[in-house]
């Protein structure tokens, strides 16, 4: 059944709605089997009723987003297209949440940009221990750091402790010059980057000198008890089972922890079991703990990152590479499980 629809956009800046050179409009045309014509103050749609209904929902969502934020990004357009095609509704209403903190670099308010990220933030607010598992670019670390900075500013905690395992991702850093701090800093750089987007360098320096903010390798956590702290364990897929247990048992009174990782990018040597993989079975059903799973739909980096993740997932399924391959010994035999 063919349907026609006219959408009035007289009160909308069409340059922002359609993107530079009509780039957003072309993205929409590529994803829907319908005729879309922008003429004057109107958008004319023609095609099957289901497609037209979805397009009407999509343009309504994009217009609302534009009116509220006075801008529209390619990332949001792509996310809205996916949401509408899958669920029949756009993300605008669900994403009307308050900002966590404000970036000191861009002055933009830092807040969840996808429904998955919104659930992640709600979990951190509601649970003392949250595990966030998902691919690169989904904001696992960045949003956790934002929540930690927010908790510190509101005096909900007295310290923020950012932890990472110092595991080499296929490259050797053992011969880098300098003391132990200089050698482990490269592993902690992503955490520094997130922190510097939310606090000035001088503020960070003072807070680190006072011990209010700590950025430490996982190995340095043994034997400690962390009270009144917001603790983040990043890149947790590179912890062993024993290291994960050690970290989780550091938590003290009035402390909360967020553990993040991507189980498709494990860099542990000798096929060691990942603590993040195992913990999903160990803590399954334990009250007070929440697991949040983000996907390629929650990627907020360059749009190609989402496509790259999808391509790798498709390739790994075809090659049966969902788990690390066994390492062949010199005699041609494979290691036992």
């Amino acid at each position: 059944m063919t349907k026609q629809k006219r959408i009035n956009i007289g009160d909308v800046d069409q340059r922002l709605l359609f993107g530079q050179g009509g780039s957003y409009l072309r993205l929409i045309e590529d994803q829907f089997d319908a005729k879309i014509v922008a003429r004057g103050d109107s958008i004319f749609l023609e095609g099957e009723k289901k497609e037209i209904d979805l397009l009407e929902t999509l343009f309504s969502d994009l217009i609302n987003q534009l009116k509220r934020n006075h801008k529209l990004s390619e990332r949001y357009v792509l996310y809205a297209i996916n949401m509408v095609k899958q669920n029949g509704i756009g993300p605008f209403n669900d994403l009307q949440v308050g900002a966590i903190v404000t970036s000191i670099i861009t002055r933009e308010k830092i807040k969840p940009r996808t429904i998955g990220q919104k659930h992640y933030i709600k979990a951190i607010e509601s649970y003392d221990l949250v595990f966030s598992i998902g691919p690169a670019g989904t904001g696992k670390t960045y949003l956790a750091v934002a929540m930690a900075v927010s908790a510190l500013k509101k005096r909900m905690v007295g310290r923020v402790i950012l932890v990472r395992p110092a595991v080499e991702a296929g490259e050797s850093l053992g011969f880098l010059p300098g003391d132990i701090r200089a050698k482990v800093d490269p592993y902690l750089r992503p955490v520094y980057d997130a922190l510097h987007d939310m606090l000035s360098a001088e503020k960070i320096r003072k807070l680190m000198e006072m011990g209010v903010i700590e950025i430490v390798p996982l190995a340095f956590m043994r034997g400690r008890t962390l009270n009144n702290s917001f603790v983040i364990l990043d890149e947790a897929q590179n912890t062993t089972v024993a290291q994960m247990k050690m970290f989780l048992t550091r938590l003290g009174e009035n402390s909360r922890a967020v553990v993040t990782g991507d189980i498709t990018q494990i860099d542990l040597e000798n096929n060691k079991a990942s603590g993040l993989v195992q913990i999903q079975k160990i803590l399954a059903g334990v009250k007070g703990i929440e697991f949040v799973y983000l996907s390629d739909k929650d990627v907020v980096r360059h749009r190609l990152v989402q496509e790259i993740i999808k391509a790798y997932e498709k390739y790994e399924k075809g090659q049966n590479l969902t788990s690390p391959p066994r390492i062949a010994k010199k005699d041609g035999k494979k290691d036992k499980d």
Side-chain angles (χ1 to χ4, degrees), residues 297-330:
K297 298 180 182 64
D298 299 299
V299 171
V300 293
R301 292 180 184 170
H302 193 287
R303 66 179 180 84
L304 286 179
V305 173
Q306 189 178 74
E307 297 303 319
I308 290 168
I309 291 169
K310 288 180 180 178
Y312 267 97
E313 288 178 349
K314 182 178 180 181
Y315 172 78
E316 288 169 355
K317 286 180 181 178
Q319 298 293 316
N320 194 25
L321 294 178
T322 53
S323 58
R326 299 178 184 177
I327 300 174
K329 294 182 177 179
K330 291 182 180 180

Side-chain angles (χ1 to χ4, degrees), residues 132-136 138 140 261-263 292-295:
S132 176
I133 300 173
T138 50
K140 302 183 300 294
D262 177 1
I263 57 176
V292 177
Y293 294 92
L294 301 173
S295 70

Side-chain angles (χ1 to χ4, degrees), residues 124-142:
I124 296 175
E125 292 174 342
S126 305
Y127 295 87
D128 288 338
L129 177 56
V130 175
F131 292 85
S132 176
I133 300 173
T138 50
K140 302 183 300 294
T141 304
Y142 191 79

Side-chain angles (χ1 to χ4, degrees), residues 20-32:
Q20 186 175 7
S23 59
Y24 298 166
L25 192 57
R26 288 194 294 273
L27 286 176
I28 296 170
E29 288 174 333
D30 288 342
Q31 295 296 319
F32 290 89

